[in-house]
Amino acid sequence: MHVPDPVIEKQWYLEQYKFGSAARRGAPPISLQAVWTADNGRIPPWKGDFHHDLNTQLSYWPSYSGNHLEEGLGYFDHLDENLANYKRYTKMYFGVDGLAVPGVTTLDGTEMGGWIQYSLSPTVSSWLAHHYYLQWRYSMDTDFLKNRAYPWVKEVCTFLEKITVKDENGQRKLPISSSPEIKDNSLEAWFPQNTNYDLALMKFAFSAGAELALELGLVAESDHWKEILSEFGDYAVTENNELMFAPNLPYQESHRHFSHMMAIHPLGLIKWEDGEKSQTIIKNTIALLDKVGPDYWCGYSYAWLANMKARAKDGEGAAKDLSIFAKAFVLPNSFHVNGDQTKSGLSKFTYRPFTLEGNFAFAAGLQEMLLQSYAGFIEIMPAVPETWRDIAFEKLRAEGAFLISAKKENGQVTEVKIEAEKDGVATLKLPFKKYHTLSARLVTINASEDGFVELKCKAGGSVILKSN
């Protein structure tokens, strides 16, 4: 990969080194500090365990478009190996069948406790289900879908159906809801209506359940999950179309965990591509976040926000936040230490506890600027600054099991190569007005008049499109 920002490019390559060092099948998955947990006679920051309210999830974000699916499988191996322990906890704590994963666990998946809102949250397994979904979408591995992804998602949906109740309007909700770290560990941290965090995760779980069941030909199960999905209400938004924490709590205080924005990213339930209403919600929610300011953000906040700005097609904003992360929230050795090391007002946190999720969210953010495929089509360099005139990347991965390479020269995309690992159809948003086919093998090209091209690919096929 090459981008014309040496700080961002170098940091991305350093994250590839870290990911390769920490993500490996046959070894424990990435925890808070992974293989760099120091044994110096003291407990490492946040105990060095598996925090499933953000820390493990962000760590695997770059796996998918970064084309590291094999390394990412170690995450699923760990989760599947501990399934029986998670189900024991689910039955013991919630009193129902299905799957709820503790938010803070030991190596074998046993609950460790902590602030209840995140350590015992009922939607932890829904966020983990998103990773199973992504592994399937980026690999199109039917064995993984049948034997791992859908069974996990089905257990999550079974649990959520049993734990939720209907309110006076007939809408489904949790008996009591929360949003990670909002109002800390006080009574005010609990909400009688669904928070946007819990709501987005539950909507995602049933949406994925319906999609994956249908993919497997389980029509009745798919219809059932669709029916449950239809019983959830809308997200809480202000009169200015800004996402709130909960129906009675707008975003009005700086907070490092952008839990109220889960529907935008990573879940992609509110998409820029859906049109003006969604775009307004995305723009206004991000603008409010910037307006309230970064007093209590940490490094991963900037990395996460870069991903969101990339989804909003804001290349300037995404690059700015990645640059701030790399310059202010990492040590010279490239490791993320949460606090603003420049002490220049980028955060009131100026401490230096080392955790990895910010590093890997950074890598995902750059990849999101260069390639997006979550909306049903492949988009090349959808969120890069105008000043980035020359860019190149090789074999990033798109949903549908397509490997994408592209070049931008003197401000114009000049070449796109698509390689298909499986039989499938790739819809490409053309990054140039006129093009010719440089080469095509096992690919049928159907052009349209709306700036898209449909590529019917056989496994092993490839095509190179070059601008005229």
Side-chain angles (χ1 to χ4, degrees):
M1 180 187 291
H2 167 69
V3 297
D5 185 313
V7 173
I8 291 177
E9 181 184 282
K10 179 181 179 181
Q11 189 72 36
W12 184 83
Y13 274 104
L14 288 164
E15 307 314 356
Q16 305 313 297
Y17 168 79
K18 294 190 196 73
F19 196 84
S21 300
R24 200 73 55 86
R25 298 196 78 176
I30 300 169
S31 60
L32 283 153
Q33 291 84 26
V35 293
W36 295 281
T37 299
D39 181 10
N40 62 356
R42 302 179 64 185
I43 296 176
W46 295 286
K47 301 189 290 282
D49 50 43
F50 294 99
H51 270 49
H52 295 305
D53 69 326
L54 176 151
N55 304 93
T56 57
Q57 289 92 322
L58 271 63
S59 291
Y60 282 91
W61 279 357
S63 171
Y64 307 106
S65 65
N67 195 21
H68 297 308
L69 298 188
E70 175 65 24
E71 289 79 8
L73 280 170
Y75 193 27
F76 304 105
D77 293 343
H78 169 81
L79 294 172
D80 287 344
E81 286 166 4
N82 294 332
L83 185 61
N85 202 9
Y86 299 146
K87 296 187 77 171
R88 171 204 58 80
Y89 155 79
T90 305
K91 189 72 171 178
M92 177 194 72
Y93 187 72
F94 292 101
V96 298
D97 294 325
L99 179 60
V101 175
V104 182
T105 78
T106 62
L107 187 59
D108 69 1
T110 300
E111 61 277 8
M112 292 180 66
W115 289 2
I116 294 174
Q117 293 85 1
Y118 70 87
S119 67
L120 303 175
S121 165
T123 54
V124 169
S125 52
S126 303
W127 196 345
L128 296 172
H130 186 240
H131 282 275
Y132 281 86
Y133 177 80
L134 292 178
Q135 185 78 7
W136 149 246
R137 286 295 303 150
Y138 280 84
S139 70
M140 302 306 289
D141 182 335
T142 53
D143 287 337
F144 183 84
L145 167 65
K146 180 179 180 180
N147 299 315
R148 305 184 73 172
Y150 182 61
W152 181 281
V153 173
K154 180 178 178 179
E155 290 283 2
V156 172
C157 291
T158 298
F159 165 74
L160 292 174
E161 181 181 3
K162 292 179 180 295
I163 199 83
T164 49
V165 297
K166 292 186 179 181
D167 64 15
E168 62 276 8
N169 298 315
Q171 293 185 331
R172 193 173 287 269
K173 70 182 188 71
L174 291 168
I176 190 168
S177 186
S178 64
S179 198
E181 302 178 7
I182 305 305
K183 301 298 181 181
D184 295 337
N185 198 31
S186 68
L187 289 176
E188 293 179 323
W190 299 103
F191 300 87
Q193 299 297 327
N194 290 327
T195 62
N196 277 341
Y197 172 80
D198 280 335
L199 179 60
L201 286 168
M202 290 189 290
K203 282 188 170 187
F204 167 76
F206 287 106
S207 175
E211 178 183 338
L212 300 189
L214 189 61
E215 186 73 27
L216 291 169
L218 304 171
V219 177
E221 289 186 24
S222 178
D223 288 345
H224 180 67
W225 301 137
K226 287 179 184 176
E227 181 181 356
I228 299 297
L229 176 61
S230 71
E231 295 171 349
F232 287 95
D234 295 330
Y235 301 106
V237 296
T238 65
E239 292 182 356
N240 195 40
N241 288 306
E242 301 147 339
L243 286 171
M244 307 166 70
F245 285 125
N248 61 346
L249 184 64
Y251 184 88
Q252 56 191 7
E253 59 184 279
S254 181
H255 198 273
R256 64 182 183 173
H257 195 311
F258 303 149
S259 53
H260 63 303
M261 301 170 71
M262 290 284 292
I264 299 172
H265 183 277
L267 301 179
L269 300 176
I270 300 175
K271 298 182 179 69
W272 186 265
E273 293 77 6
D274 288 339
E276 184 177 353
K277 181 178 179 181
S278 292
Q279 289 174 15
T280 299
I281 291 174
I282 293 169
K283 286 189 296 185
N284 290 4
T285 303
I286 291 175
L288 178 62
L289 203 69
D290 278 331
K291 179 181 178 181
V292 172
D295 279 359
Y296 294 100
W297 295 2
C298 60
Y300 71 65
S301 309
Y302 283 95
W304 190 353
L305 186 54
N307 282 269
M308 291 196 191
K309 288 182 178 178
R311 289 280 175 98
K313 318 305 178 185
D314 178 8
E316 301 286 347
K320 177 183 177 181
D321 288 331
L322 291 184
S323 181
I324 289 172
F325 173 89
K327 293 177 180 178
F329 290 86
V330 298
L331 299 179
N333 64 9
S334 84
F335 285 97
H336 165 240
V337 286
N338 283 269
D340 172 16
Q341 302 305 294
T342 67
K343 296 180 173 60
S344 58
L346 297 167
S347 171
K348 287 188 175 180
F349 294 123
T350 58
Y351 57 3
R352 44 187 287 164
F354 153 54
T355 58
L356 281 165
E357 74 293 304
N359 288 112
F360 297 132
F362 171 95
L366 180 55
Q367 293 162 203
E368 198 75 28
M369 293 169 67
L370 301 182
L371 179 68
Q372 293 178 15
S373 59
Y374 70 96
F377 59 87
I378 296 168
E379 189 169 7
I380 307 296
M381 304 182 199
V384 297
E386 288 188 14
T387 55
W388 286 18
R389 307 284 290 172
D390 297 285
I391 304 171
F393 63 82
E394 294 184 8
K395 293 190 176 180
L396 291 181
R397 181 177 286 267
E399 290 191 17
F402 298 104
L403 300 181
I404 314 296
S405 303
K407 294 178 183 178
K408 184 177 186 179
E409 299 171 304
N410 196 28
Q412 299 294 323
V413 176
T414 57
E415 183 176 301
V416 176
K417 181 178 182 180
I418 299 178
E419 302 170 77
E421 284 190 342
K422 303 288 178 69
D423 291 354
V425 177
T427 301
L428 173 68
K429 182 178 180 180
L430 288 169
F432 23 61
K433 292 183 178 180
K434 295 182 179 181
Y435 69 94
H436 63 277
T437 304
L438 197 62
S439 69
R441 183 171 63 89
L442 301 176
V443 175
T444 302
I445 304 174
N446 297 316
S448 66
E449 297 180 356
D450 58 359
F452 290 81
V453 64
E454 183 182 83
L455 308 168
K456 294 184 178 179
C457 305
K458 294 291 186 181
S462 65
V463 60
I464 299 176
L465 305 179
K466 200 165 182 70
S467 65
N468 286 342

